[in-house]
Amino acid sequence: MSSVPERPPARGSVLYDPKIRAVAYQILLIAVLGFLIYSAATNAIENLRAAKIASGFDFLGVTAGFDINQKLIYFDGAVSSYGRAFWVGLLNTLLVGSIGIVLATILGFLVGVARLSPNWIISKIAKWYVEVIRNLPLLLQLVFWYNAVLKPLPEPRNSVQITGLRFGTPDFMGIVSLIAAFGVSYALYVGAERIGRNDTERQIGKIIAALVAAVGAWFLLPNIGILRGTETGLFFLNNRGLYTPEPIFSGTAYILAIVLILGILASVLFRRWAAKQQAATGRQYPVGLITLGFIVALPVVTWLILSVVGTNPVTFAYATQGRFNLTGGLQIFPEFVALTFGLVIYTAAFIAEIVRAGIMAVSRGQTEAAGALGLRPGPTLRLVVIPQAMRVIVPPLTSQYLNLVKNSTLAVAIGYPDLVQIFAGTVLNQTGQAVEVLAVTMAVYLTISLVTSAIMNIYNRRVAIVER
Amino acid sequence: MKKTIASIAVGVVAAVAATGAYAQGQSTLATVKARGQLACGANTGLAGFGVPDAQGTWTGLDVEACRAIAAAIFDDPNKVRFVPLSAKDRFTALQSGEADVLIRNTTWTMSRDTSLGLNFVGVNYYDGQGFMVRKKLGVSSALELNGASVCTQQGTTTELNLADFFRANKLKYEVVAFASADETVKAYDAGRCDAFTTDASGLYAERLKLANPDEHIVLPEIISKEPLGASVRHGDDQWFDIVKWTHFAMLNAEELGVTKANVNDMLKSENPEIKRLLGVEGNFGESIGLTKDWVVRIVKHVGNYGESFERNVGEGSRLKIKRGQNALWSKGGLQYAPPIR
């Protein structure tokens, strides 16, 4: 066999070597870019200095001096810095963004599915919703909602109220008597089942048992400390917002939190185990009831025990009428409601169309095959159509999420203190450091968007079809 | 990817070039002359100070201060382009060269004068911050506002004074801040707030916009010093002098009794002060890059400070504000101009 002939050495200079040339061009481009950015930055700094405009980030530590109404973390203009104002604004933006995304997704899916409904009225309503909402400028909608939310509401003096008894700390004897009442009721129920000679008697026995439980609860609950006092306003609605009782956590609250987390964990594990059992043996367990027990009953019992033995982990502060406003309680601002509402309504119209497109992309044969297997329309949609539609839905859905967060900057029009209003508005104006403030603000929105889209990409990979 | 980076770089360079443009360019006076127009940062609409009327003609005390500068330079008070600016955007507009001068009821404070890259030239209106409330609340003093919601415009000294006032008096309040004055007033009118706060002059002006102006009162407390004045960019002393002395010329004209009506007769006056003011004697206009008759131009087209005040915010206007602190020093006020000599 002849040996492979040696390749002749490349002719000509290295200048013509395509590989080297490619690398050289890349390096050149990077160098030019680097120089441009460097000279741009130094030019900006020099000009700012020449114009005697303060520069740098020292201002972040300076006391802000102005106040903010909606704040998720402590903020007091007298002592808090511009840096802290930044965090307040950022958290307000994230609050609207996250709540908005969740609600817009739910509403968007409902409307998207409704548009495909065989019910003529439902599908037409969904169609008109989409056509009207997505064709009106968002800014106008926000201003509309703000005035629609604000104007019809009464003044604080004439607040709409939901009254009731206030929560208090249960006492030991009260709980014993409550348990006794329910015990008697349960005994009656079981007794009726055993002793009853015919259906009518058994039914009567059960009704008596239920009455005993209801009457017991009715008389005992207000008198054992769980509910206290006379009827007073719990929720208030007026043109300053919605006031709800504010939970105040005491030292033992962490035990309640741990129990709640354990309950959720236990119910998740139980659900998995039950699903496995059902797949293996076909036996079904009362999953819903047991989940309810873990997540609701367990914490409630813990709360009762903690209240009787130690201190009540959660008490509530209620709003009361002051001279101008209600004081105390948790205030949900009309600006927040209007912004969230406007963003959700607007974005949901787009999501609905994406969902409709996704569902229509699933071939009709899938639905027919599910029908042939005996699945009802509900489970067909849930188990067959939506999972396949998700592959089409997720990428454009990501864009809508990004839009929602970016659109939240229109908050500035209705006085909601988001990042742009607080930081790129008030802080920029007070410090005059436009370059730094805007660079930081843009970096924040870029980060939020990139993180959102990274999470959605991971999710997309999970729902994407697995090629075999 | 490469394209993206390149376009980002181009964007950054363009942005920075825009920031830097004014710092290296020619003098502001030369720029204004070449443009044939003065770019004046004005309020988006504050009755009496700066507001376009139904025909789109700008009127107001601040607006006439701009017209006076244009008159001094071009002998034509209409060679002004008004750039309507919100409180939040005004300084950036001046810094970036979008406006040559900012005369927009802007409070002169130390931080603004020193760290924003601009210089205040003087005070064309001595103001102070006050509160307006609905009469039916039965409030007679700002000290009774404990627990109230207060509407204000963001990015103003008002926002800061408000915080100081409530803190100093150990009162609680809820601030609701809006980007523009219009939104603030609308929200107050809709009942979002118990009180509306801004400079006292602004309270009287904005009250006219409310649905039922008679249902609202301005509380007696003035909680701050708000010297409102014109400002220019750092680094052009000639331009600084022009804006400053235009203001002083209007004050001196009032003090010496030179008015729009009698300015031509005054040219024949024997009073040496009037002679110097109107350029009959000396060469003061040319020393700041203008002409000898610069004050004649100002007074002929716009009038003196007192005339402008009466016409826009005083007895001759809907606002009916008294001269008070804004009277000349010789009449018990604070307005005082250095002499032209």
Side-chain angles (χ1 to χ4, degrees):
Chain A
M1 299 303 264
S2 62
S3 62
V4 181
E6 250 183 54
R7 215 175 141 183
R11 278 180 300 141
S13 96
V14 286
L15 273 179
Y16 295 102
D17 187 320
K19 261 192 197 161
I20 292 176
R21 283 186 82 164
V23 172
Y25 281 140
Q26 302 271 2
I27 291 172
L28 197 67
L29 180 71
I30 290 171
V32 169
L33 279 178
F35 175 73
L36 277 178
I37 292 169
Y38 170 78
S39 53
T42 48
N43 187 24
I45 292 168
E46 230 164 72
N47 280 329
L48 289 176
R49 200 169 294 149
K52 300 226 165 49
I53 299 175
S55 61
F57 287 94
D58 293 342
F59 71 93
L60 287 174
V62 175
T63 307
F66 62 92
D67 286 310
I68 304 172
N69 56 1
Q70 181 183 317
K71 52 210 172 200
L72 298 180
I73 51 175
Y74 174 79
F75 185 87
D76 178 359
V79 287
S80 303
S81 63
Y82 286 127
R84 202 164 179 87
F86 165 81
W87 288 109
V88 171
L90 177 58
L91 286 173
N92 285 344
T93 290
L94 291 177
L95 182 72
V96 159
S98 50
I99 291 179
I101 282 177
V102 171
L103 295 183
T105 310
I106 295 171
L107 183 62
F109 268 74
L110 288 178
V111 176
V113 172
R115 265 207 82 172
L116 296 170
S117 162
N119 184 320
W120 188 83
I121 294 179
I122 291 181
S123 81
K124 283 292 174 265
I125 290 175
K127 182 186 166 177
W128 280 104
Y129 165 75
V130 168
E131 292 304 338
V132 170
I133 296 297
R134 73 171 176 172
N135 288 314
L136 288 173
L138 177 57
L139 182 60
L140 287 183
Q141 292 192 36
L142 286 180
V143 173
F144 170 78
W145 290 123
Y146 187 47
N147 289 308
V149 169
L150 194 67
K151 288 256 167 76
L153 291 175
E155 297 174 347
R157 287 178 187 187
N158 311 317
S159 303
V160 178
Q161 292 187 29
I162 296 176
T163 58
L165 297 175
R166 295 184 169 183
F167 263 104
T169 307
D171 49 51
F172 180 69
M173 283 316 290
I175 288 169
V176 169
S177 39
L178 192 66
I179 291 170
F182 281 114
V184 169
S185 159
Y186 184 71
L188 278 173
Y189 181 87
V190 174
E193 190 81 0
R194 293 244 175 101
I195 304 166
R197 278 166 299 184
N198 55 40
D199 272 359
T200 323
E201 281 186 18
R202 278 195 282 271
Q203 287 296 337
I204 290 170
K206 281 180 195 172
I207 290 169
I208 292 173
L211 277 177
V212 167
V215 171
W218 179 262
F219 279 109
L220 285 173
L221 279 178
N223 294 317
I224 59 173
I226 291 182
L227 297 172
R228 271 182 198 283
T230 50
E231 287 225 342
T232 44
L234 301 181
F235 295 88
F236 300 86
L237 186 66
N238 57 44
N239 61 14
R240 307 288 159 79
L242 173 69
Y243 293 75
T244 68
E246 183 185 10
I248 295 177
F249 301 102
S250 73
T252 51
Y254 76 97
I255 301 175
L256 199 62
I258 291 172
V259 168
L260 188 66
I261 291 167
L262 285 179
I264 291 170
L265 271 179
S267 63
V268 167
L269 289 176
F270 174 75
R271 271 167 172 265
R272 281 201 188 160
W273 178 81
K276 230 182 245 170
Q277 287 289 308
Q278 192 184 353
T281 65
R283 206 180 145 204
Q284 283 193 346
Y285 293 86
V287 176
L289 206 65
I290 290 176
T291 308
L292 201 71
F294 275 135
I295 298 180
V296 178
L298 204 59
V300 167
V301 170
T302 314
W303 174 67
L304 288 177
I305 293 171
L306 280 175
S307 312
V308 172
V309 177
T311 42
N312 192 344
V314 190
T315 50
F316 290 92
Y318 298 88
T320 49
Q321 183 73 55
R323 175 161 184 196
F324 300 101
N325 277 319
L326 296 162
T327 52
L330 203 65
Q331 188 184 2
I332 300 167
F333 293 89
E335 292 82 21
F336 171 75
V337 175
L339 182 65
T340 313
F341 205 65
L343 287 173
V344 166
I345 298 275
Y346 181 75
T347 314
F350 290 90
I351 293 180
E353 284 298 274
I354 292 169
V355 169
R356 185 170 72 102
I359 291 174
M360 291 182 74
V362 179
S363 88
R364 210 171 152 65
Q366 296 284 327
T367 317
E368 288 167 355
L373 286 172
L375 280 179
R376 278 171 289 114
T380 304
L381 191 67
R382 221 173 50 239
L383 299 172
V384 177
V385 178
I386 296 278
Q388 298 189 70
M390 286 310 277
R391 300 202 305 269
V392 182
I393 291 174
V394 169
L397 188 63
T398 309
S399 306
Q400 289 307 322
Y401 287 175
L402 301 183
N403 280 344
L404 189 144
V405 173
K406 286 181 286 180
N407 286 340
S408 73
T409 55
L410 289 172
V412 80
I414 56 170
Y416 175 75
D418 78 328
L419 183 66
V420 171
Q421 159 137 0
I422 294 294
F423 197 62
T426 307
V427 173
L428 190 164
N429 195 272
Q430 305 289 12
T431 62
Q433 294 185 241
V435 177
E436 292 87 347
V437 168
L438 289 179
V440 168
T441 312
M442 286 195 283
V444 165
Y445 279 95
L446 190 63
T447 312
I448 295 176
S449 293
L450 288 178
V451 168
T452 311
S453 99
I455 293 170
M456 290 303 283
N457 282 342
I458 293 170
Y459 180 66
N460 189 33
R461 229 168 285 145
R462 282 190 53 189
V463 297
I465 195 164
V466 184
E467 301 276 358
R468 273 183 278 230
Chain B
M1 189 61 193
K2 251 187 266 172
K3 264 191 190 157
T4 328
I5 294 175
S7 48
I8 290 171
V10 169
V12 170
V13 172
V16 172
T19 323
Y22 68 85
Q24 290 137 354
Q26 46 190 353
S27 78
T28 313
L29 180 63
T31 315
V32 170
K33 276 183 172 166
R35 198 195 296 132
Q37 230 181 10
L38 172 75
C40 184
N43 199 304
T44 50
L46 180 64
F49 287 83
V51 66
D53 65 13
Q55 284 78 44
T57 316
W58 286 78
T59 58
L61 186 70
D62 286 344
V63 161
E64 290 193 352
C66 291
R67 293 199 190 281
I69 300 168
I73 300 171
F74 298 112
D75 198 13
D76 181 352
N78 294 318
K79 289 197 170 169
V80 191
R81 184 168 58 84
F82 290 98
V83 185
L85 298 169
S86 73
K88 173 167 141 337
D89 302 330
R90 54 190 161 176
F91 300 121
T92 320
L94 182 63
Q95 286 165 351
S96 65
E98 204 185 323
D100 302 313
V101 55
L102 181 70
I103 313 185
R104 189 212 165 279
N105 53 296
T106 299
T107 306
W108 183 354
T109 67
M110 181 165 174
S111 67
R112 286 175 176 177
D113 205 0
T114 54
S115 66
L116 295 185
L118 43 92
N119 279 330
F120 281 84
V121 301
V123 179
N124 72 339
Y125 190 94
Y126 287 96
D127 210 339
Q129 182 175 344
F131 292 93
M132 179 160 63
V133 295
R134 283 179 186 71
K135 274 183 188 160
K136 66 173 179 193
L137 283 177
V139 175
S140 59
S141 156
L143 293 167
E144 294 170 31
L145 289 175
N146 194 12
S149 295
V150 184
C151 281
T152 185
Q153 198 181 354
Q154 69 169 122
T156 53
T157 46
T158 312
E159 202 180 1
L160 302 176
N161 297 329
L162 176 68
D164 284 352
F165 174 77
F166 277 86
R167 196 173 300 134
N169 291 297
K170 301 206 166 46
L171 304 175
K172 283 188 178 155
Y173 75 113
E174 178 210 358
V175 62
V176 189
F178 294 87
S180 82
D182 260 357
E183 285 156 10
T184 317
V185 175
K186 269 187 211 144
Y188 167 71
D189 210 8
R192 176 66 183 88
C193 300
D194 301 300
F196 166 58
T197 182
T198 188
D199 297 343
S201 60
L203 289 179
Y204 289 103
E206 302 289 9
R207 186 162 68 167
L208 299 175
K209 289 187 196 162
L210 298 175
N212 297 304
D214 295 340
E215 290 177 6
H216 305 266
I217 53 161
V218 174
L219 298 177
E221 283 85 356
I222 294 294
I223 65 166
S224 68
K225 291 194 286 187
E226 305 287 337
L228 309 181
S231 51
V232 296
R233 279 185 296 278
H234 258 293
D236 188 342
D237 289 350
Q238 184 198 33
W239 184 246
F240 178 73
D241 287 343
I242 290 173
V243 176
K244 180 170 60 183
W245 281 97
T246 303
H247 172 58
F248 288 154
M250 289 174 77
L251 286 174
N252 279 321
E254 184 188 2
E255 197 177 331
L256 297 170
V258 181
T259 64
K260 206 170 173 176
N262 71 7
V263 59
N264 284 328
D265 301 336
M266 283 293 187
L267 284 170
K268 293 169 219 130
S269 164
E270 290 303 315
N271 184 336
E273 282 188 82
I274 295 178
K275 280 185 163 182
R276 281 195 296 273
L277 176 74
L278 299 181
V280 179
E281 229 177 69
N283 203 0
F284 299 99
E286 282 171 21
S287 66
I288 54 172
L290 299 174
T291 53
K292 254 186 181 177
D293 64 341
W294 62 296
V295 181
V296 179
R297 292 175 171 192
I298 294 170
V299 178
K300 193 172 67 190
H301 293 299
V302 181
N304 65 37
Y305 178 79
E307 289 178 285
S308 182
F309 190 99
E310 290 307 321
R311 190 164 50 230
N312 293 299
V313 296
E315 292 302 327
S317 73
R318 289 169 69 203
L319 296 181
K320 311 240 181 290
I321 299 174
K322 301 224 161 28
R323 277 299 282 271
Q325 292 173 319
N326 290 296
L328 290 178
W329 64 283
S330 50
K331 292 180 183 156
L334 295 172
Q335 290 291 2
Y336 183 104
I340 293 180
R341 75 175 310 136

